[in-house]
Each structure stands twice: as C-alpha cells, then as structure tokens.
Amino acid sequence: MSQHHQDQFVPADGNEAADREKKPRHKKFQSQSYGERMAAELDAPTTPGTDRSSARAERPAQVERPAQVERRGGPSQYSDRGSRGPDRRDNDRRDDRRGGNDRPVRGYRAEPARTETSSYPKSSYDKPSYAKSPVDKGAYRNDRPERTDRDSRGFDRPERTSYPRSTDRPERTSYPSSTDRPERTSYPRSNDRPERSSYQGNNERTSYPRSSDRPERTDRDSRGFDRPERTSYPRSSDRPERNSYQGNSSSYQGNRGNDRGYQRNDSDPDRNYERVRPAQVEMPADLGEVAEGNGFAAIGIAPRLVQRMARDGITAPFPIQEATVPDALAGKDVLGRGQTGSGKTLAFGLPVLMRLAGGHTESRRPRAMVLVPTRELAMQVHDALEPLAHVMGVSIKLIAGGLPYPKQIESLRRGVDLLIATPGRLIDLCEQGAADLGAVEVAVLDEADHMCDMGFMPAVTTLLDMTPTSGQRLLFSATLDNDVDKIVKTYLKDPVTHSTESGQASVSTMEHHLLVIEPAHKQSLTAELASRDGRTIVFVRTKLGADRVATQLRDRGVMAAALHGGLTQGARNRTLDQFKDGSVPVLVATDVAARGIHVDDVGLVVQADPAADHKDYLHRAGRTARAGGKGAVVTLVLPHQRRGMMRLAESAGVVTEPVRVRPGDENVAELTGGTQPSGYPVKLPAPKPQRGSGGFNKGGKRFGGGGSRPSGRGYEGRGNSGGSSYRGRTERTGNGRTFEPR
DNA sequence: AAAAAAC
C-alpha cells in the first residue's frame, strides 16, 4: 500500500505492541471528543426543526419512483436508520446535551423510541450475528413479505429527510455558486497545467491549491503511478494472455424489463439528476499525435486520458477493456468478466471518468460510486484511478472503514464526483447524512459476484437503492455466477455481457499443482514452499490460522507476515506495504487478499488450506500470473480433502493430477527452486514485530537466528511441533487437524 | 463455513 495511505490511516506506530496499547485510547478518543467534534462540525449550521418539516414536505418527489419500490429486494440489514438499540443508550447524554437536534451523528443516533424508526430491525452492527439471522438471510429475495415494510418506508428515512435537496444542506451554503468554489478555478483548462511539459511529476501538483486533498497527491507522485495491472507490461506484445482472448460477447439473456412493471424515467433526467454543470476542463487540442494509433483512442477514450496512460506505458487496451468500454461509454449497463489480472479496473474506470469529465452536479453530490469488498482493494482502485481522475478534472475520494471520518466527511461536504467505497463505511456516512447517493449516475460493483453473496448483498442493495433508478450500472468480476443474477435482474436494464474468458482457470501462464500430503507434514511443506525466492502468498482459511502459520514460518526462518481482517488497518497497511516493497517476501493471508489485490511478481500462491469453492480458488490463484506474467499455484491437500478438492478443481477448470509428496521431495524442490526453509539466510530487512510473535527474541535477529532450525531434523513428527510458541495451539481449524500435529 | 464489511 502506498505511503500516502498509511498516513491516512491509524497513525504509524512503532510496532504492533504499541499499536495494541494505543487502541483503547484511540477508541475512547473516537467515541468522545472525536465524536463531539464531528457532531459540532455537522451540527454547526443546521436548524433542526425546520429542516425536518420542510424536508418531509418535499419528500414525495422522490417517493413516487415506483421502480425503486419494485426493485428493491426487501428490508436490508442496514435499514434501521436511526435505531441503534439498547446498548447505545449511553449516548443519550450527548443527545440531550446537543439540545434536541435529532440530526444523526455516528454513534449518537436518535433513540429507538422514535415512531418512524420503531418498526425497523435493529442495527446489524449491534448484533454480530446479523448475517445469520433469518431476516437477513432472505434480505435480497424479491418475494419477501417484509418488503412492504420497506416499501412503505420508501425514501423517508429519518436521516435523509433533513436535506432532501442540495439547497437545504447547510454544508453547501458556503459555495452558493460555482465561482465561489476554489477547487476548480485553479485548473480551468489543461493548457495552464505545467505537468504536460514537465512530465516528471512532483512540481506539477503544486499549482493545485485545493485544500485538504492536496497532501495526498505529493506522496503519490513521489511513488509514481503504481497502477498495478500494467506497470510491468507496458507493451501489448509482452502480454501473452491476449492470445487467450476469445472476445465472445453476447447480450444478457435474463428476463427483465417490463415484466416487473417498472419503467425508468429516463425521459426526465432532471428528476433523478441534478443539472450537470458544463465542462470546465476543455479537451486539450495538442494530443492528436499521442492518440494516433492508440488502442484506447480507438475505443473512444478521451485524448487526455490516453496521454496520461501512455505516460505510464499503458498504450494498448486489454481485451476486457476493448470489449466493455464502448458499451459502457454508450451508457449501457455492462456485465464484464475478465480473468484475474486482466485489467478490469480500467475497464470500468475509464468509462466512469469519461462520463464524469469536467462536470458536476450543482450540489457536487457524487455522480458515480465504485463498490468493492475490501479496504485494500478500495485503496488500490482509488490509487489506480486517481491520477486519471485528476487529469479529467474529476474529484475522487476513498470511502472505506478503518480510516478517519473527518477527512471523508469534509471531502463529501465539499463535494466529490467519484467515490471508491467499501459498503459499510459508505452506508454509515449515508446514515449520518454526510453522503448522499441521490445523484449517482454510475454505480460499479467490482468483484461483483462477491458483492452479491449473502454477506454483502444487503449492504449492496441498500446502497443501490439510494441511487437513482435510471443510473448506469457496471458489474465486473473474474467470476460472474448465479448470485449476480439477483442484482442483475433487479438493478440492471438490458445489460450487455462481455466475457473474455470462460470464468475458469484459463490463465495460460498459470501452473496448478495439487499436492496430497500428510497432515503432519503441512507445516514443513508450507515452510519449504514459502522459503523460495520471490514473493509468495500463503492462503489459509481463518484469521487465527493466518497468525499461526505466519508465526510458524517465522519460527522456521521464513520471513512471513499475516494479513487478515482482524488486524488494525494500520497493521494491514503496513504488512501489505512490506510485502509490496519486498521487505517481507511471504504473505500469509485469509481470503481478504484473495480478490483484486495486485502485487507485482507474486510467483507462487500456496493454498495451505484449500479454497472453499472454485471461485475462491480462482481468485486466490489470480494473485499470481497477473497481466501475462507467470505463476504457480500449489494447493496442499490432506488425504481426506482429496475427493472434495478434485471436484473443486474440476469446477475451476483446473486440469492437474494430484501428486503425493513429502517434505524434501523433488516435486517440491522444483516448485521452490530447491531452497530450504531452515537456516536459510534472511536476505531482507526484518519487518516490525507482528502480533502474536511472542516467541521471538526481542533483539534484532528475529529471523535466521534463534528461531530457525537446522533442516532435516524431523521436528514435525512428534509432540507439539518443536516448541515454538505459536499461539492457538489448541485452536482447531475445520476438521481439527489442519495444522495440529497431534 | 469463514471472511469481509462501521465503531
């Protein structure tokens, strides 16, 4: 992760221990002074009573959209706006202090007694088991009776009633007219921008006095434009995977349209969208030659985008981009499926930026949003699109959990055109009233099939329901399966499907190996594989497992770090950064890293625990062999998992014979280049201590010294695995013997 | 079934 993100998140602490110690303080800070500050910020210019009543009077204008009612699939777990449940009552005090202003602020919700919210389910975040409740399980089913409950609620959710239109929003009053907005005035036309000629970077941004976004830019510039998919393969001829391009695009066959009795009100755009201000950024006239013969120009991408990408060596579109961009530019709803690492980010990013170019709504509400399943992926997409957005005069903002609210809220208040978001935080901000999706013209679901599974579906529908029905929707993933249909049928109109591969393991540069092993060998084999030269990702099933395997690897002299959702965001960023910059060559991750995350030159993916299903397999595998590079995928299969694994492999389109191996076998050495874990010198600087590394020396020689063992001692056979102090020795994963040499 | 997604 880029430095600039790390700066945005939890303060970069010295180490994990300090991190943990700080956490409580941090939390306290957030729940009190932090919250108060936020409340003050949000409350400042409001006039509570009048706001609500006037808002309600205007509400019908939006409620009348029957499509919204028809399309939405029932109450969402997030639909309890205003109700925080009994365990939040300790906040009463503050609500009182705040003089009866019922403007909701995160953590200071109005109480459940309020009539308009009393019928809503309790907040999912108040009960961790939300995903398992029967209500939530069927939340997206269209035939749910509860739907009526939700329908009646329509658009008059309490939070939103206070400012249905931009002019009612106090935040905006500071920018009554366009000329008062400082953001744009500094770069009305491209010709004024020095970076065109300078081409190197850093000073170019100094001419943009835009207030609080600015600092981020400088960091980014210094780090360059690390768009993952392309950087290592600047020219198309280097990309072998183009050969596998089948280019079979077809129209989606799903039955949708009038059968659900819903008509878009496309004829009256102003009903859903605010007037879009005319372009303030003119297309430069001097880019013709750059665009000449450029494949991106050929599919309708604006010269300035073409030029900006060319600057980073991106001159030829990938198949998925060639296939989907024209339709997306034409405003159609698109389902795009391209194999892992095939450039899907730009496939949706470019059309979105084209659409947003040089214009914004009067209130500067977001005109587009991209939803992604993990924070890391959100950052990656944001980083990839940010320089392009910049060139187009489009403001872009990362909205994700784990990072401070104020910047996000402030940014939204000032006005942002494009949001890159994880669902939870965006919903939170919408509930607060900080974000308003009422002007979203384009909604993108990245990793769409994952966003449509049970865990994410309610959040996704909640967010889509907040966007105008006539908006364009783009769904992208390497695997698009049946779950996606639910969203497609409800939210997409005459979608076009573009598939540049079969949805199976068709990346031709990827090798697959199934190693059938004894449970007692799993540790040492994992270490043997991970000790190879180059970056390796080890996937495990659980968070605890990730911690444990990382610790075990380090005990064996393999520098590894765990990445999973149970870590602080600061730790997550730090770990991923270390993996990217090479200081930690082995990443032990849960499926948090299975999708979308791009790190250059990951040569081997080890599935220490087999993937749960074929889609997970493909996405995990897709962390290697990206953008035409080579890579191997090794899955460790216990004897009792063999049958299931074979079935899974078949579904994934993987054709490989399982091989029985023991540590030190030639087959294994082939995969590792012959390296051995134990006693192998650690070539890279030691990382900061990881959580759960209690067994290590406190000194500098954490790796390679006391922790490592001579090879071939057969320590994995008996007893508790050689005395390393790994945590969770009693924890069992799955069948209970995965990493437990009992 | 786990993980992920707000504090």
Side-chain angles (χ1 to χ4, degrees), chain A residues 360-567:
Chain A
H360 51 248
T361 59
E362 292 296 339
S363 66
R364 303 217 57 188
R365 289 191 287 174
R367 292 176 60 203
M369 70 171 179
V370 177
L371 299 181
V372 298
T374 66
R375 297 169 184 175
E376 281 75 14
L377 189 51
M379 294 177 218
Q380 181 177 295
V381 170
H382 174 268
D383 284 2
L385 298 183
E386 202 248 20
L388 300 176
H390 179 252
V391 159
M392 297 301 276
V394 171
S395 56
I396 181 171
K397 184 65 183 176
L398 172 64
I399 301 290
L403 54 85
Y405 280 86
K407 278 183 184 172
Q408 294 179 4
I409 292 172
E410 171 62 18
S411 188
L412 287 161
R413 201 185 58 167
R414 261 201 338 271
V416 183
D417 304 315
L418 171 58
L419 303 181
I420 313 296
T422 50
R425 176 61 67 92
L426 185 52
I427 287 171
D428 190 351
L429 292 175
C430 287
E431 288 177 344
Q432 290 185 36
D436 182 342
L437 304 181
V440 169
E441 299 168 39
V442 193
V444 181
L445 298 186
D446 195 7
E447 304 297 343
D449 59 317
H450 195 214
M451 301 299 280
C452 295
D453 77 15
M454 262 185 36
F456 274 113
M457 182 73 88
V460 170
T461 55
T462 296
L463 287 168
L464 288 177
D465 285 343
M466 288 192 264
T467 67
T469 62
S470 55
Q472 182 181 14
R473 270 106 195 206
L474 309 176
L475 272 54
F476 282 80
S477 184
T479 54
L480 284 174
D481 66 4
N482 297 333
D483 283 347
V484 177
D485 282 355
K486 293 169 184 150
I487 287 286
V488 168
K489 286 175 182 159
T490 315
Y491 292 95
L492 273 67
K493 180 187 180 189
D494 300 332
V496 180
T497 298
H498 289 288
S499 198
T500 58
E501 46 92 36
S502 61
Q504 298 202 321
S506 58
V507 178
S508 55
T509 54
M510 193 186 290
E511 288 178 13
H512 299 267
H513 303 272
L514 303 180
L515 305 187
V516 180
I517 64 165
E518 293 304 315
H521 294 158
K522 188 180 258 193
Q523 271 195 49
S524 59
L525 272 166
T526 302
E528 192 173 338
L529 290 164
S531 65
R532 61 184 281 280
D533 287 327
R535 289 196 185 89
T536 304
I537 300 182
V538 178
F539 280 107
V540 296
R541 198 177 58 92
T542 66
K543 291 184 271 197
L544 241 48
D547 280 335
R548 183 182 51 218
V549 172
T551 302
Q552 288 167 351
L553 288 173
R554 288 194 298 263
D555 283 353
R556 290 164 183 264
V558 179
M559 200 164 354
L563 180 70
H564 57 75
L567 303 170

Side-chain angles (χ1 to χ4, degrees), chain A residues 654-676:
Chain A
V654 173
V655 281
T656 311
E657 281 305 304
V659 183
R660 238 174 202 294
V661 302
R662 302 174 58 84
D665 278 2
E666 276 185 21
N667 326 43
V668 182
E670 270 177 37
L671 294 166
T672 64
T675 56
Q676 291 291 321

Side-chain angles (χ1 to χ4, degrees), chain A residues 7 31 51 192 221 231 326 328 459 505 537 658 689:
Chain A
D7 293 344
S31 65
D51 251 1
D192 299 335
D221 291 342
T231 46
I537 300 182

Side-chain angles (χ1 to χ4, degrees), chain A residues 111-364:
Chain A
E111 289 312 302
R114 286 167 56 191
T115 50
E116 65 268 45
T117 65
S118 57
S119 62
Y120 302 165
K122 292 282 186 274
S123 166
S124 62
Y125 291 112
D126 292 336
K127 46 173 169 73
S129 61
Y130 65 90
K132 295 178 171 48
S133 82
V135 169
D136 295 320
K137 273 192 170 168
Y140 50 81
R141 291 198 344 239
N142 288 330
D143 53 352
R144 296 198 67 237
E146 291 86 341
R147 185 151 56 100
T148 56
D149 174 60
R150 192 149 180 251
D151 292 344
S152 68
R153 185 164 54 84
F155 260 70
D156 48 29
R157 298 164 185 151
E159 292 75 13
R160 299 168 63 80
T161 53
S162 34
Y163 30 87
R165 349 193 101 245
S166 61
T167 50
D168 293 335
R169 282 188 249 160
E171 303 86 359
R172 297 291 155 75
T173 55
S174 46
Y175 305 109
S177 77
S178 63
T179 52
D180 293 338
R181 291 178 207 157
E183 297 84 357
R184 293 309 177 92
T185 53
S186 49
Y187 47 99
R189 19 184 69 243
S190 64
N191 308 1
D192 299 335
R193 282 189 266 155
E195 84 266 23
R196 292 274 168 225
S197 48
S198 74
Y199 199 85
Q200 300 112 334
N202 275 349
N203 42 3
E204 70 186 70
R205 262 52 185 282
T206 56
S207 57
Y208 299 81
R210 206 203 279 218
S211 50
S212 51
D213 286 351
R214 271 321 128 200
E216 313 174 358
R217 295 285 167 76
T218 57
D219 273 336
R220 289 212 76 258
D221 291 342
S222 68
R223 146 174 86 75
F225 179 48
D226 56 8
R227 260 199 57 271
E229 297 87 351
R230 294 312 182 69
T231 46
S232 32
Y233 308 93
R235 351 197 96 249
S236 58
S237 55
D238 295 339
R239 288 183 264 133
E241 92 278 12
R242 283 176 136 301
N243 302 335
S244 63
Y245 172 41
Q246 297 151 12
N248 53 335
S249 60
S250 59
S251 279
Y252 180 73
Q253 305 288 338
N255 61 336
R256 47 176 314 291
N258 293 335
D259 58 325
R260 62 176 186 275
Y262 127 67
Q263 284 283 350
R264 283 189 187 207
N265 42 7
D266 293 326
S267 54
D268 185 7
D270 278 352
R271 171 176 307 188
N272 289 324
Y273 303 135
E274 294 168 75
R275 196 162 289 105
V276 173
R277 284 159 38 99
Q280 295 193 347
V281 183
E282 291 183 9
M283 294 301 146
D286 61 332
L287 296 178
E289 50 174 333
V290 176
E292 196 76 40
N294 184 298
F296 284 107
I299 58 175
I301 300 302
R304 61 174 50 214
L305 278 175
V306 172
Q307 195 191 47
R308 183 61 182 83
M309 289 188 291
R311 190 170 134 183
D312 299 302
I314 305 168
T315 55
F318 278 161
I320 183 71
Q321 295 157 1
E322 268 175 340
T324 59
V325 163
D327 277 334
L329 284 177
K332 294 181 184 171
D333 287 353
V334 173
L335 288 171
R337 185 172 65 192
Q339 59 203 32
T340 53
S342 67
K344 290 184 288 293
T345 303
L346 283 187
F348 62 74
L350 293 175
V352 166
L353 291 173
M354 290 287 290
R355 178 159 183 160
L356 303 188
H360 51 248
T361 59
E362 292 296 339
S363 66
R364 303 217 57 188

